[in-house]
Amino acid sequence: MPETRDRAAADRIRTRLAAAAAALVVVGAGLGLRTVATGSVAKYGGDALYTVLLLSLVVLVAPRISPLRAAASALAVSCMVEFLQLSPVPADLSRRSTVARLVLGSTFNPPDLLWYSVGAAAGWLVHTAVRSLRARPARVRDATRT
């Protein structure tokens, strides 16, 4: 049993490292998108990447979470932040801080909700694929032991 516990702990560490790396890649992609694109592409691409970033952070905090739950959690937070923009709080904070503007936005925009869904779906697909690839060697290894 200690071998199983050690393997599970190592898997959680690898998952967290992968999630942290993914978060950094997503931030880089978002910043890159802002430098090469303008208008709707930059805006809505950034919305999708925002949700992918949140999904990466969810997996970083909870490495054993299922892809569907991670995507649903990221989508829920994205939508809550968007609906928070119906109040004056994010706009006020955005005037005072660039970080607040990047995290909270400032103005409610209904199409953002669609693009958050696109980001959640893309993140779910990638998370599911990575989990499947990681599980494959374990299945092969376990099959050869029996």
Side-chain angles (χ1 to χ4, degrees), residues 1 5 8 13-15 18 31 37 46 48 50 58 60 65 70 90 93 100 112 114 124 126 138:
M1 285 300 207
R5 259 186 271 140
I13 290 169
R14 277 193 297 277
T15 300
L31 294 172
Y50 179 81
V58 167
L60 181 66
I65 195 167
L93 292 173
D112 289 353
L114 168 68
W124 172 80
V126 170

Side-chain angles (χ1 to χ4, degrees), residues 48 52 55 116-128:
V52 174
L55 189 148
Y116 296 146
S117 299
V118 169
W124 172 80
L125 283 170
V126 170
H127 189 189
T128 299

Side-chain angles (χ1 to χ4, degrees), residues 75-99:
L75 179 59
V77 171
S78 296
C79 291
M80 285 190 304
V81 168
E82 189 68 28
F83 283 111
L84 180 64
Q85 293 171 1
L86 291 169
S87 77
V89 173
D92 185 47
L93 292 173
S94 292
R95 280 191 292 279
R96 298 178 198 188
S97 165
T98 302
V99 173

Side-chain angles (χ1 to χ4, degrees), residues 20-41:
L24 290 173
V25 167
V26 171
V27 168
L31 294 172
L33 183 63
R34 290 286 230 189
T35 61
V36 299
T38 58
S40 295
V41 172

Side-chain angles (χ1 to χ4, degrees), residues 127-139:
H127 189 189
T128 299
V130 168
R131 265 188 132 180
S132 295
L133 289 173
R134 279 196 170 163
R136 183 174 298 144
R139 286 192 303 258

